[in-house]
Amino acid sequence: MALKEQDIKDIAHLARLGVDDSALAPLAADLSTVLSLVEQMNSVNTEGVEPMAHPGNAVLRLREDTVSEPNQREKLQQAAPATEDGYFLVPRVIE
Amino acid sequence: MAWETVIGLEIHAQLSTKTKIFSGASTAFGAEPNTQACAVDLGLPGVLPVVNAEVVRLAVRFALATNSSITERSQFARKNYFYPDLPKGYQISQMALPIVGPGEMTIFDGEDRQKTIRITRAHLEEDAGKSVHDLFSDQTGIDLNRAGTPLLEIVSEPDLNSAVEAVAYAKKMHALVRYIDICDGNMQEGSFRCDANVSIREKGSDVLGTRSEIKNLNSFRFLERAIDFEVERQIDVLEGGGEVVQETRLYDADRDETRSMRSKEEAFDYRYFPDPDLPPLLVEQSFIEQVRANMPELPTVRTQRFVTDYELSEADAVTLTSERPTADYFEATLAAQHITPRLAATWVMGEVFSRLNNDGLSLEQSPVNAEALAGLLIRIQDNTISGKIAKSVLDTMWESGEPADKIIAAKGLQQITDTGAIEAMIDEVIANNPEQLAEYRAGKDKLISYFIGAVMKASKGKANPGELNKLLKPKLDG
């Protein structure tokens, strides 16, 4: 599958990445190569093979429902660019 | 043209746990902003999610209560989108392999007929944080206390054909999740929210029309009104020669209308993929059996028990068990003072319910609790007061919160059962009404009720009716 420049723009928008127009063509070529590898894998006959979401046989370990995390707001908000009255502040979001 | 409405509901039930689905931060409601948001909830680099076992238990409990299948190996997936109250840039949810598979729920439709609604699936996911738009000028405040709160999203098949059915289903689901104690059902706090997928088609057609999704319906009234509005809107569009657009719409309660939020063309592409941080969630048979062993009594089982054990009618048993707090209140009343079930049922469904309705209260907010009600009913049962007096005592209890016995004593409301005292009152009434007595003796039997009324009035309603009836007739007959 060959990606077009518009596909790259759409993907970049979904990932909120700024991509220069001059980079669109090379990226389209590179990503198309990746996809052709996937296509190659798609051609393998996997009939009777159970699809797996995860490699290996690991399963989830669960924890009990007890509070283990105390309030560390002050510490955790140190890295935030802007806070006020305990809130993180971000540029105004309009629905 | 005759149209048929087709509705599917997505219900988000917040699971009642002490901690988040993937972290050990508290889920208590109403805390100061960001005091219950730990490094995992904030999506800081290097953290890993660890699943809360209680979340899995509650989901399995739901599956058992709705005859749903349980996926032995379910999988968490990342749903990718950007929003300030979603710090990781993705929500951990379940897509291809949800923990709960197909099940069903029976409701009563508008004509009181039973109807089975298929449940497509129910999956686990984390809630997002809260954006506050009106607290800061030109900036939005973010509170991540709610981020990571466990949700069970319950998805129905499009088996609902009217707003009335949709509300019946949502209410039954609301009662169920509270019954089995997996969700507190508090709609104001957002613990139970509905999205409705609504479409219409020509009656008799088996092709689904294009649907719109109405989001954020946080009351049953809004659910009903939003669907009614949306159905009318779609009929207008189609009958005007237009086409319904697949889109997300918001219900505006103030204007009682739905309006477009975003259409399919600009819809998010969530790019789901299995979360590499979370291997499959294994639910073994032994785990399921443990959950089953600790299962609360289901509504249908409790209804039958009420019919058998308390000899209540099917209709009364259904009313009393439709909500768990009602059934609990009723049984607590019985337990407190050995009240006869019939008497307790009549008073709970009649006097208590009507007062709650008048005051717009839920049973949990009732000023008269089960023990206090039992304290009143026992005085009817032991003939201290009549049912009529008891109603006025309940009014006073409702206002003052005082126990029945105190009110009865303070107002001197005890029934007069003393034969001598009642006889004296009868004699006086007869003496004061010679004309009526003569008419009665001349054959006007019906006048007996005149005398009963007069004695009751003289006793301020406190004469024991049984005693009065027994004593009055011989005296009238002379």
Side-chain angles (χ1 to χ4, degrees), chain A residues 11 14-16 53-54 57-73 76-77 82 84-95, chain B residues 17-21 23-24 33-35 37 44 50-54 57 73 75 82-84 132-133 135-136 138-142 271 274 276 278-280:
Chain A
I11 295 165
L14 285 171
R16 300 296 186 271
H54 227 267
N57 289 317
V59 291
L60 269 184
R61 294 172 62 141
L62 306 178
R63 69 178 166 79
E64 279 313 312
D65 185 29
T66 43
V67 177
S68 59
E69 300 300 316
N71 171 24
Q72 299 192 72
R73 183 171 75 183
L76 291 170
Q77 289 196 333
E84 197 176 320
D85 297 338
Y87 289 91
F88 293 97
L89 292 186
V90 298
R92 192 159 191 77
V93 181
I94 301 150
E95 275 282 81
Chain B
T17 56
K18 295 187 192 73
T19 65
K20 309 253 171 110
I21 180 169
S23 85
N34 293 307
T35 54
L44 294 186
V50 188
V51 175
N52 183 343
E54 185 66 9
R57 279 186 209 110
R73 276 166 198 267
Q75 178 65 46
F82 288 98
Y83 204 76
V132 181
H133 301 291
L135 224 51
F136 307 98
D138 299 329
Q139 280 181 303
T140 293
I142 305 291
R271 294 152 296 144
L278 293 159

Side-chain angles (χ1 to χ4, degrees), chain B residues 66-113:
Chain B
T66 51
N67 293 317
S68 299
S69 66
I70 296 164
T71 311
E72 192 187 12
R73 276 166 198 267
S74 65
Q75 178 65 46
F76 287 98
R78 293 184 179 182
K79 177 180 180 178
N80 299 278
Y81 66 94
F82 288 98
Y83 204 76
D85 57 23
L86 186 76
K88 295 191 298 297
Y90 59 86
Q91 177 195 28
I92 306 178
S93 179
Q94 295 190 304
M95 184 60 181
L97 294 166
I99 182 164
V100 179
E104 59 184 41
M105 170 170 270
T106 307
I107 62 161
F108 286 98
D109 69 6
E111 271 90 53
D112 257 1
R113 286 179 305 236

Side-chain angles (χ1 to χ4, degrees), chain B residues 4-304:
Chain B
E4 181 184 41
T5 305
V6 178
I7 306 159
L9 288 189
E10 292 169 16
I11 293 173
H12 289 85
Q14 181 183 320
L15 296 173
S16 304
T17 56
K18 295 187 192 73
T19 65
K20 309 253 171 110
I21 180 169
F22 300 118
S23 85
S26 170
T27 53
F29 182 81
E32 285 293 301
N34 293 307
T35 54
Q36 291 174 174
C38 71
V40 173
D41 308 327
L42 260 52
L44 294 186
V47 298
L48 283 173
V50 188
V51 175
N52 183 343
E54 185 66 9
V55 165
V56 183
R57 279 186 209 110
L58 299 182
V60 169
R61 199 185 282 174
F62 174 80
L64 293 175
T66 51
N67 293 317
S68 299
S69 66
I70 296 164
T71 311
E72 192 187 12
R73 276 166 198 267
S74 65
Q75 178 65 46
F76 287 98
R78 293 184 179 182
K79 177 180 180 178
N80 299 278
Y81 66 94
F82 288 98
Y83 204 76
D85 57 23
L86 186 76
K88 295 191 298 297
Y90 59 86
Q91 177 195 28
I92 306 178
S93 179
Q94 295 190 304
M95 184 60 181
L97 294 166
I99 182 164
V100 179
E104 59 184 41
M105 170 170 270
T106 307
I107 62 161
F108 286 98
D109 69 6
E111 271 90 53
D112 257 1
R113 286 179 305 236
Q114 281 211 347
K115 181 169 178 180
T116 299
I117 308 302
R118 291 169 298 159
I119 295 166
T120 314
R121 57 186 282 164
H123 62 258
L124 291 170
E125 62 185 25
E126 59 178 340
D127 208 345
K130 197 172 76 180
S131 300
V132 181
H133 301 291
D134 51 6
L135 224 51
F136 307 98
S137 54
D138 299 329
Q139 280 181 303
T140 293
I142 305 291
D143 175 9
L144 295 173
N145 281 348
R146 208 178 61 190
T149 299
L151 302 176
L152 187 68
E153 180 175 335
I154 306 156
V155 183
S156 86
E157 290 288 312
D159 289 347
L160 301 156
N161 294 113
S162 67
V164 170
E165 285 183 24
V167 170
Y169 169 82
K171 280 189 170 169
K172 183 115 190 241
M173 192 62 81
H174 184 252
L176 178 75
V177 296
R178 297 207 300 164
Y179 240 105
I180 60 175
D181 217 6
I182 66 169
C183 169
D184 67 19
N186 190 324
M187 297 177 89
Q188 283 84 43
E189 290 175 10
S191 300
F192 188 93
R193 346 192 254 270
C194 295
D195 299 343
N197 289 305
V198 180
S199 65
I200 57 168
R201 64 182 170 196
E202 276 178 53
K203 214 167 179 70
S205 163
D206 53 8
V207 184
L208 288 172
T210 306
R211 66 164 195 265
S212 61
E213 182 179 11
I214 315 169
K215 287 225 172 261
N216 274 336
L217 299 162
N218 63 355
S219 83
F220 297 125
R221 197 164 56 98
F222 291 168
L223 174 65
E224 181 162 10
R225 283 165 55 177
I227 292 171
D228 281 338
F229 175 88
E230 186 57 21
V231 168
E232 286 305 312
R233 189 190 69 85
Q234 292 187 11
I235 290 174
D236 284 351
V237 168
L238 291 182
E239 291 190 343
E243 271 182 40
V244 175
V245 187
Q246 186 171 337
E247 62 183 351
T248 303
R249 297 179 73 87
L250 269 186
Y251 176 67
D252 182 337
D254 295 332
R255 300 163 71 171
D256 190 23
E257 62 176 32
T258 67
R259 60 166 184 271
S260 184
M261 205 173 134
R262 53 176 182 257
S263 71
K264 185 73 180 166
E265 290 90 80
E266 42 186 317
F268 290 128
D269 178 349
Y270 292 120
R271 294 152 296 144
Y272 281 95
F273 63 90
D275 193 319
D277 289 341
L278 293 159
L281 168 59
L282 178 65
V283 179
E284 290 176 298
Q285 199 57 41
S286 57
F287 185 94
I288 297 171
E289 293 315 319
Q290 256 179 33
V291 174
R292 199 194 302 275
N294 294 304
M295 192 79 178
E297 188 178 31
L298 292 176
T300 45
V301 177
R302 202 165 188 183
T303 307
Q304 279 320 302

